Amino acid sequence: MAELVKSGFRVSVRELREESYRALRSKGYDWGQAQAASRVATEAQILWGSGLSAIQQECTRFRGKKRLPLSRGQGVMANRGSSFPIWGPMAAALAVSRAPSEIRITGVICSKTLAVAFWDLDEFSSWTWGDGKCRFAIDPRGDLIGGDDSATRKSTLQLGKYVDKLADFQVLITADQRKQALMESLTNGVEVDSSGWEDLKKNSRKFLVPE
Protein backbone atom coordinates (compact mmCIF):
# COMPACT_ATOMS: atom_id res chain seq x y z
CA MET A 1 0.00 0.00 0.00
CA ALA A 2 1.12 3.57 -0.64
CA GLU A 3 2.33 5.41 2.46
CA LEU A 4 2.07 9.22 2.71
CA VAL A 5 5.39 10.89 3.49
CA LYS A 6 6.42 14.53 3.77
CA SER A 7 7.35 15.20 0.17
CA GLY A 8 4.98 12.75 -1.46
CA PHE A 9 4.14 9.08 -1.28
CA ARG A 10 6.26 6.09 -0.47
CA VAL A 11 5.17 3.07 -2.48
CA SER A 12 6.53 -0.44 -2.78
CA VAL A 13 8.89 -1.36 -5.60
CA ARG A 14 6.30 -3.81 -6.89
CA GLU A 15 3.55 -1.17 -6.88
CA LEU A 16 5.64 1.29 -8.86
CA ARG A 17 6.71 -1.31 -11.40
CA GLU A 18 3.21 -2.74 -11.87
CA GLU A 19 1.42 0.60 -12.06
CA SER A 20 3.97 1.83 -14.61
CA TYR A 21 3.50 -1.34 -16.64
CA ARG A 22 -0.30 -1.08 -16.57
CA ALA A 23 -0.25 2.62 -17.46
CA LEU A 24 1.82 1.93 -20.57
CA ARG A 25 -0.33 -1.05 -21.52
CA SER A 26 -3.39 1.19 -21.31
CA LYS A 27 -1.73 3.40 -23.93
CA GLY A 28 -1.23 0.53 -26.35
CA TYR A 29 2.36 -0.51 -25.63
CA ASP A 30 2.91 -4.23 -25.96
CA TRP A 31 3.90 -6.60 -23.16
CA GLY A 32 7.64 -6.52 -23.80
CA GLN A 33 7.88 -2.75 -24.21
CA ALA A 34 5.86 -2.09 -21.05
CA GLN A 35 7.82 -4.67 -19.03
CA ALA A 36 11.22 -3.24 -19.97
CA ALA A 37 10.09 0.36 -19.50
CA SER A 38 8.57 -0.32 -16.09
CA ARG A 39 11.74 -2.03 -14.85
CA VAL A 40 14.15 0.73 -15.91
CA ALA A 41 11.78 3.49 -14.76
CA THR A 42 11.48 1.87 -11.34
CA GLU A 43 15.24 1.69 -10.89
CA ALA A 44 15.66 5.26 -12.14
CA GLN A 45 13.11 6.36 -9.55
CA ILE A 46 14.94 4.50 -6.78
CA LEU A 47 18.35 5.92 -7.69
CA TRP A 48 17.53 9.42 -8.95
CA GLY A 49 13.80 10.08 -8.60
CA SER A 50 13.34 10.41 -12.37
CA GLY A 51 11.41 7.30 -13.39
CA LEU A 52 7.83 8.24 -12.55
CA SER A 53 7.91 11.51 -14.48
CA ALA A 54 9.37 9.70 -17.51
CA ILE A 55 6.49 7.20 -17.53
CA GLN A 56 3.99 10.03 -17.23
CA GLN A 57 5.66 11.86 -20.09
CA GLU A 58 5.26 8.77 -22.24
CA CYS A 59 1.61 8.33 -21.25
CA THR A 60 0.80 11.88 -22.36
CA ARG A 61 2.98 11.96 -25.50
CA PHE A 62 1.05 12.66 -28.70
CA ARG A 63 0.70 9.46 -30.75
CA GLY A 64 3.17 7.83 -28.40
CA LYS A 65 2.79 4.18 -29.39
CA LYS A 66 2.71 5.11 -33.08
CA ARG A 67 5.98 7.06 -32.84
CA LEU A 68 8.47 4.55 -31.50
CA PRO A 69 12.19 4.86 -32.28
CA LEU A 70 13.12 3.68 -35.76
CA SER A 71 16.17 1.86 -37.09
CA ARG A 72 18.04 3.82 -39.73
CA GLY A 73 20.35 0.93 -40.55
CA GLN A 74 24.08 0.51 -39.93
CA GLY A 75 23.77 0.83 -36.15
CA VAL A 76 21.74 4.04 -36.12
CA MET A 77 18.46 4.47 -34.24
CA ALA A 78 16.31 7.58 -34.52
CA ASN A 79 14.25 8.52 -31.49
CA ARG A 80 10.97 10.21 -32.30
CA GLY A 81 10.15 11.93 -29.04
CA SER A 82 9.81 8.90 -26.79
CA SER A 83 10.90 9.19 -23.17
CA PHE A 84 13.85 7.36 -21.67
CA PRO A 85 12.01 4.20 -20.47
CA ILE A 86 11.07 3.49 -24.10
CA TRP A 87 14.18 4.41 -26.07
CA GLY A 88 16.69 3.42 -23.35
CA PRO A 89 16.13 -0.36 -23.41
CA MET A 90 16.02 -0.33 -27.21
CA ALA A 91 19.32 1.57 -27.38
CA ALA A 92 21.00 -0.75 -24.88
CA ALA A 93 19.80 -3.83 -26.75
CA LEU A 94 21.11 -2.44 -30.04
CA ALA A 95 24.48 -1.62 -28.47
CA VAL A 96 24.81 -5.13 -27.03
CA SER A 97 23.85 -6.75 -30.33
CA ARG A 98 26.42 -4.78 -32.34
CA ALA A 99 29.31 -4.79 -29.86
CA PRO A 100 32.17 -4.06 -30.18
CA SER A 101 31.04 -1.65 -32.90
CA GLU A 102 29.65 1.69 -31.75
CA ILE A 103 26.07 2.71 -32.46
CA ARG A 104 24.36 6.10 -32.66
CA ILE A 105 21.04 7.27 -31.22
CA THR A 106 19.61 10.53 -32.56
CA GLY A 107 17.13 12.85 -30.88
CA VAL A 108 17.86 12.07 -27.21
CA ILE A 109 19.25 13.93 -24.20
CA CYS A 110 22.63 12.81 -22.89
CA SER A 111 22.05 11.56 -19.34
CA LYS A 112 23.36 9.16 -16.73
CA THR A 113 19.96 7.44 -16.63
CA LEU A 114 20.89 5.26 -19.61
CA ALA A 115 22.92 3.24 -17.11
CA VAL A 116 19.81 1.54 -15.74
CA ALA A 117 18.92 0.21 -19.21
CA PHE A 118 22.36 -1.39 -19.48
CA TRP A 119 22.14 -2.78 -15.94
CA ASP A 120 18.71 -4.22 -16.71
CA LEU A 121 19.97 -5.97 -19.83
CA ASP A 122 23.58 -6.89 -19.08
CA GLU A 123 24.62 -6.03 -15.54
CA PHE A 124 28.17 -7.32 -15.71
CA SER A 125 29.48 -5.54 -18.81
CA SER A 126 30.95 -2.06 -19.09
CA TRP A 127 29.68 0.56 -21.54
CA THR A 128 30.14 4.19 -22.47
CA TRP A 129 27.83 6.75 -24.06
CA GLY A 130 27.72 10.47 -24.77
CA ASP A 131 27.96 13.26 -27.28
CA GLY A 132 30.57 15.96 -27.84
CA LYS A 133 29.76 17.74 -24.57
CA CYS A 134 28.97 15.05 -22.02
CA ARG A 135 30.08 11.48 -21.45
CA PHE A 136 29.16 8.67 -19.08
CA ALA A 137 30.32 5.11 -18.58
CA ILE A 138 29.88 1.98 -16.52
CA ASP A 139 33.42 0.91 -15.70
CA PRO A 140 34.65 -2.67 -15.14
CA ARG A 141 33.92 -2.37 -11.39
CA GLY A 142 30.27 -1.60 -12.16
CA ASP A 143 30.61 2.03 -11.03
CA LEU A 144 28.82 4.73 -12.98
CA ILE A 145 31.23 7.51 -13.86
CA GLY A 146 30.79 10.70 -15.84
CA GLY A 147 30.83 14.45 -15.97
CA ASP A 148 28.16 17.11 -16.28
CA ASP A 149 24.59 15.76 -16.14
CA SER A 150 22.77 19.01 -16.87
CA ALA A 151 22.12 18.59 -20.60
CA THR A 152 18.70 19.79 -21.73
CA ARG A 153 19.03 19.76 -25.52
CA LYS A 154 18.61 16.68 -27.65
CA SER A 155 21.66 15.45 -29.51
CA THR A 156 23.14 12.32 -31.07
CA LEU A 157 24.67 9.83 -28.65
CA GLN A 158 27.40 7.35 -29.44
CA LEU A 159 27.24 4.10 -27.47
CA GLY A 160 29.90 1.44 -27.27
CA LYS A 161 32.05 -0.77 -25.09
CA TYR A 162 33.94 0.99 -22.31
CA VAL A 163 37.56 1.90 -23.02
CA ASP A 164 39.71 2.91 -20.06
CA LYS A 165 40.18 6.54 -21.04
CA LEU A 166 37.68 8.14 -18.66
CA ALA A 167 39.67 7.59 -15.47
CA ASP A 168 39.57 11.30 -14.64
CA PHE A 169 35.75 11.34 -14.52
CA GLN A 170 34.00 11.50 -11.17
CA VAL A 171 32.20 8.51 -9.70
CA LEU A 172 28.46 9.21 -9.73
CA ILE A 173 27.36 6.00 -8.01
CA THR A 174 29.36 2.93 -7.10
CA ALA A 175 28.17 -0.62 -7.68
CA ASP A 176 27.89 -1.08 -3.90
CA GLN A 177 25.87 2.13 -3.49
CA ARG A 178 23.50 1.03 -6.22
CA LYS A 179 22.98 -2.39 -4.68
CA GLN A 180 22.43 -0.82 -1.26
CA ALA A 181 19.80 1.58 -2.64
CA LEU A 182 17.98 -1.27 -4.37
CA MET A 183 18.04 -3.40 -1.22
CA GLU A 184 16.77 -0.55 0.96
CA SER A 185 13.93 0.15 -1.45
CA LEU A 186 12.64 -3.38 -0.95
CA THR A 187 12.26 -2.65 2.76
CA ASN A 188 11.47 1.06 2.83
CA GLY A 189 9.71 1.55 -0.50
CA VAL A 190 10.27 4.24 -3.11
CA GLU A 191 9.41 7.89 -2.67
CA VAL A 192 7.29 9.41 -5.45
CA ASP A 193 5.56 12.71 -6.03
CA SER A 194 1.96 12.44 -4.79
CA SER A 195 0.35 14.21 -7.76
CA GLY A 196 2.47 12.26 -10.23
CA TRP A 197 1.43 9.02 -8.54
CA GLU A 198 -2.24 9.90 -8.79
CA ASP A 199 -1.83 10.72 -12.49
CA LEU A 200 -0.10 7.38 -13.03
CA LYS A 201 -2.95 5.56 -11.28
CA LYS A 202 -5.51 7.27 -13.51
CA ASN A 203 -3.79 5.77 -16.53
CA SER A 204 -3.11 2.35 -15.00
CA ARG A 205 -6.76 1.89 -14.03
CA LYS A 206 -7.68 1.94 -17.72
CA PHE A 207 -5.87 -1.38 -18.20
CA LEU A 208 -8.42 -3.72 -16.68
CA VAL A 209 -7.09 -7.13 -17.66
CA PRO A 210 -5.39 -8.75 -14.63
CA GLU A 211 -1.90 -10.11 -15.31
Side-chain angles (χ1 to χ4, degrees):
M1 292 290 291
E3 173 194 355
L4 185 63
V5 295
K6 256 186 178 180
S7 57
F9 280 96
R10 191 172 293 278
V11 303
S12 71
V13 172
R14 180 178 178 180
E15 277 182 297
L16 179 55
R17 186 171 57 243
E18 290 189 352
E19 295 299 328
S20 297
Y21 167 79
R22 293 171 70 87
L24 290 171
R25 291 286 274 147
S26 76
K27 296 297 181 179
Y29 291 90
D30 66 30
W31 182 89
Q33 292 163 345
Q35 283 282 350
S38 63
R39 289 196 305 268
V40 300
T42 296
E43 182 164 346
Q45 186 67 30
I46 293 168
L47 298 179
W48 301 300
S50 59
L52 176 60
S53 60
I55 292 293
Q56 278 303 96
Q57 176 189 335
E58 195 60 30
C59 286
T60 58
R61 187 166 65 95
F62 179 65
R63 299 182 66 205
K65 178 62 176 71
K66 295 181 179 180
R67 290 186 57 79
L68 291 174
L70 291 178
S71 172
R72 298 299 190 193
Q74 301 300 315
V76 179
M77 188 178 83
N79 189 37
R80 299 193 296 168
S82 66
S83 62
F84 162 74
I86 297 299
W87 70 261
M90 297 175 71
L94 182 61
V96 170
S97 71
R98 292 187 63 87
S101 300
E102 285 195 339
I103 67 163
R104 289 185 294 138
I105 312 297
T106 66
V108 296
I109 294 175
C110 183
S111 172
K112 64 188 178 187
T113 53
L114 186 57
V116 297
F118 280 115
W119 285 324
D120 181 65
L121 189 65
D122 185 13
E123 186 171 11
F124 301 103
S125 292
S126 46
W127 300 91
T128 181
W129 63 95
D131 56 22
K133 296 183 179 179
C134 75
R135 197 81 182 168
F136 301 95
I138 301 170
D139 70 15
R141 295 181 297 273
D143 298 343
L144 173 62
I145 62 176
D148 184 23
D149 192 36
S150 61
T152 57
R153 291 188 176 184
K154 294 179 180 179
S155 63
T156 296
L157 300 188
Q158 288 187 309
L159 289 71
K161 295 294 289 183
Y162 173 78
V163 178
D164 190 16
K165 57 184 179 183
L166 304 176
D168 57 333
F169 277 25
Q170 62 179 327
V171 176
L172 303 177
I173 185 170
T174 67
D176 288 342
Q177 288 172 332
R178 171 180 171 254
K179 291 177 182 177
Q180 183 66 27
L182 296 178
M183 288 295 295
E184 289 179 355
S185 71
L186 296 177
T187 302
N188 302 325
V190 189
E191 191 167 333
V192 297
D193 174 72
S194 56
S195 62
W197 179 252
E198 287 305 311
D199 288 341
L200 183 70
K201 294 279 285 185
K202 288 177 183 176
N203 284 311
S204 69
R205 280 194 289 265
K206 297 173 185 175
F207 183 66
L208 302 178
V209 180
E211 293 193 354

